[in-house]
Amino acid sequence: MKDELVQIGFEDGAGISSAAEFDELNKALEVGYTASPSSGGNALRVESLEGTLVSTTFDAKHCVLWQMINKVPAYSTVEEYNQLTDYGADGYGFVPAGEKPEEDDSTFARQKDFVKYLGTTRSVQHQATLVRTVLNDAIATENISGTMKILRDVENSLFWGNRALKYNYPTLEGLEFNGLNQMIDSSNYLDMAGLDLSEGAFEDAAEIVADGYGDPTHMFIGLKAAKEFSKSMLPKGRVMYPADSGGIAAGAVVKEVVTTSGTVQLAPSKFLNLGRSAKVTCPSAASSTKAPTAPASITPGSMTGSTGKFHAAQQGATYFKATACNRYGESVPTAASSLLTITSSDLAKYVPLTIANAASVVTAPEWYNIYCTEASGTTYYLIAQVAASSQANNGTTVHNYNGLIMANTGTAFIGDMSPDILLVKQLAPLMKMDLARTKPTFDWMILLYIVPQLKASKKWARVLNIK
């Protein structure tokens, strides 16, 4: 076929190229008539996509959790494991001489996780492979881009994934796997209440992990929180270092913190300020044409109950917005809710938030993102995600917001990174699957089938509401 393409031309020789010249033309991402060169970086031809994943992981310094986490094969779409929850009764183990001790039994719990599937479809026009541009190889470039897209989604989901984001869950299983934010025992958290991290906070967080018989080895922390912690150390002592280029380098970055429960390595990650943290702001437009129909409204009810965890900093005028979401994207938000004024007498209460669907739902919601302002603020921040209770016209979903997650704050995760505690099961490593050609394009999918598992949920903790 290649030789046939080389010989296509006029009888006088115009348009005829040598095989070498033809190879030189086989370097493009897309074809068109624009005079300006297309953007993009150089790429090498891919021989093994799994090798590409390893190389990309090494270079993608922001994806710190994916680099560190232990990866083992999975052998089923449902990965089960036994969880040892108790060794037996606590105490009362002494016996008189010559008597048989009382019988004790270990307590086990059978757990299961469902392998989830990530993928992206890529397409390159055949004509694009025949036009010379700044790119070395069109298909290789798209393989690299597709790998990076999946890697970004994996890293984000390892922190923030939530398999309950599905209408009619748990009857129906959501498409996502659970990330650390969902896998960690719900009682294992340290509330910073809008303050910066301190040395004392590290001690307290490490103690929570140690109380669950874990050895705290790593803390995954947002870049801003890590920066502020390093800055807080500067007044306590200043060390100057020789710079590589000569002279003196000022400043110091905290890489690890020594606590009573063990030495904790800091692993700053940009995904803890992005993803679905409470620093994410409300969008002004839909992220996809396939996103659900926007909700009609979100309405706060009267504060009630006694299970609230509101903080003093949340007192004041507060407004809410909501968006509808599915696997394709997020809708435009509702208009601002009616005013909710939180007072000092409301801190132990919760507020029921009623989300109403549109009068005519064209694309049904799977879940909602709920945003609220800081006290007397005007910017809306993500504070909750809740599965849709109804997909009907004018249907409603109620979420009881207890104030535990504060707007415009970050979350850190601290725990035991031992490979038998936290790991990823891979049913299939990164792979390329070609699609049938029905037009002059090269179409293919890049796929990854995995699920993370935290086999001891009390050996990790969350640090909430970091300034």
Side-chain angles (χ1 to χ4, degrees):
M1 179 66 180
K2 180 176 175 180
D3 290 336
E4 293 173 2
L5 288 172
V6 169
Q7 295 303 316
I8 294 175
F10 299 106
E11 292 183 1
D12 60 1
I16 298 177
S17 302
S18 68
E21 290 171 329
F22 178 86
D23 287 339
E24 284 295 307
L25 291 173
N26 188 27
K27 300 175 178 178
L29 180 61
E30 62 182 18
V31 67
Y33 296 104
T34 179
S36 59
S38 59
S39 60
N42 291 335
L44 299 175
R45 178 174 294 280
V46 176
E47 297 297 336
S48 167
L49 282 185
E50 181 63 13
T52 298
L53 180 60
V54 173
S55 175
T56 303
T57 301
F58 177 78
D59 293 333
K61 297 178 181 179
H62 294 141
C63 299
V64 292
L65 180 51
W66 176 254
Q67 293 183 57
M68 294 182 185
I69 198 167
N70 186 47
K71 305 169 189 68
V72 299
Y75 299 100
S76 171
T77 56
V78 181
E79 283 291 310
E80 295 185 296
Y81 61 95
N82 289 322
Q83 192 175 59
L84 176 62
T85 58
D86 201 343
Y87 297 109
D90 188 9
Y92 307 101
F94 292 93
V95 295
E99 289 194 16
K100 174 177 172 280
E102 290 295 306
E103 182 175 325
D104 268 320
D105 292 316
S106 300
T107 303
F108 292 92
R110 174 63 64 89
Q111 303 290 350
K112 63 181 178 181
D113 291 304
F114 299 97
V115 172
K116 299 303 173 72
Y117 318 114
L118 295 99
T120 179
T121 298
R122 299 282 154 162
S123 181
V124 174
Q125 295 176 355
H126 175 255
Q127 293 88 343
T129 67
L130 306 177
V131 178
R132 178 182 294 178
T133 68
V134 296
L135 296 170
N136 284 339
D137 189 302
I139 294 177
T141 299
E142 283 299 289
N143 279 332
I144 293 291
S145 297
T147 299
M148 288 297 296
K149 183 260 189 298
I150 291 180
L151 186 61
R152 180 186 61 200
D153 291 350
V154 168
E155 179 77 0
N156 185 32
S157 298
L158 286 174
F159 291 120
W160 303 111
N162 187 350
R163 75 184 199 182
L165 298 181
K166 177 72 174 179
Y167 167 68
N168 206 20
Y169 178 85
T171 302
L172 298 176
E173 175 79 9
L175 295 177
E176 298 181 358
F177 50 67
N178 275 347
L180 280 174
N181 196 52
Q182 297 296 322
M183 292 191 292
I184 294 172
D185 188 279
S186 60
S187 64
N188 274 29
Y189 70 85
L190 176 67
D191 190 349
M192 294 303 300
L195 301 176
D196 287 323
L197 278 175
S198 63
E199 291 177 274
F202 272 91
E203 280 285 355
D204 294 340
E207 184 182 16
I208 294 173
V209 176
D211 285 345
Y213 301 100
D215 296 317
T217 61
H218 291 77
M219 176 182 277
F220 295 91
I221 183 173
L223 297 177
K224 181 179 183 297
K227 177 196 71 175
E228 293 300 328
F229 182 74
S230 291
K231 285 169 61 176
S232 72
M233 297 295 105
L234 292 177
K236 300 182 179 182
R238 182 169 297 172
V239 179
M240 308 298 283
Y241 301 92
D244 293 339
S245 58
I248 297 297
V253 176
V254 177
K255 297 290 187 181
E256 59 184 27
V257 178
V258 179
T259 72
T260 306
S261 304
T263 300
V264 181
Q265 295 184 32
L266 266 64
S269 171
K270 68 180 298 182
F271 290 94
L272 289 175
N273 285 343
L274 303 173
R276 301 173 194 172
S277 78
K279 286 187 173 293
V280 173
T281 57
C282 185
S284 59
S287 63
S288 170
T289 57
K290 296 182 180 180
T293 305
S297 63
I298 179 170
T299 305
S302 299
M303 299 193 71
T304 185
S306 59
T307 58
K309 299 182 183 297
F310 282 89
H311 309 78
Q314 292 169 286
Q315 296 179 71
T318 305
Y319 295 89
F320 297 86
K321 288 185 178 182
T323 59
C325 305
N326 60 13
R327 74 183 183 94
Y328 299 107
E330 186 174 10
S331 74
V332 296
T334 61
S337 72
S338 55
L339 170 65
L340 174 69
T341 302
I342 302 173
T343 67
S344 58
S345 62
D346 297 322
L347 300 184
K349 300 177 182 179
Y350 66 84
V351 55
L353 300 170
T354 301
I355 303 170
N357 290 340
S360 178
V361 176
V362 177
T363 304
E366 294 291 344
W367 75 90
Y368 303 100
N369 286 350
I370 300 176
Y371 301 83
C372 81
T373 62
E374 297 176 272
S376 302
T378 57
T379 302
Y380 291 79
Y381 297 92
L382 179 66
I383 48 91
Q385 294 183 293
V386 55
S389 300
S390 172
Q391 294 182 323
N393 296 343
N394 298 312
T396 60
T397 296
V398 178
H399 173 68
N400 293 327
Y401 174 50
N402 65 1
L404 176 61
I405 303 300
M406 298 174 64
N408 195 22
T409 61
T411 300
F413 301 96
I414 180 173
D416 192 335
M417 278 293 291
S418 301
D420 58 335
I421 301 299
L422 179 64
L423 69 158
V424 163
K425 291 284 190 73
Q426 275 192 149
L427 182 64
L430 196 76
M431 59 184 172
K432 175 184 174 185
M433 185 179 295
D434 290 324
L435 298 174
R437 295 179 188 171
T438 59
K439 54 185 178 180
T441 61
F442 300 97
D443 302 304
W444 70 98
M445 298 180 292
I446 300 175
L447 305 168
L448 180 65
Y449 305 157
I450 62 171
V451 62
Q453 290 182 336
L454 178 58
K455 294 190 175 181
S457 61
K458 284 186 173 291
K459 293 188 178 183
W460 277 77
R462 298 179 298 159
V463 183
L464 306 177
N465 301 319
I466 304 170
K467 182 178 178 181

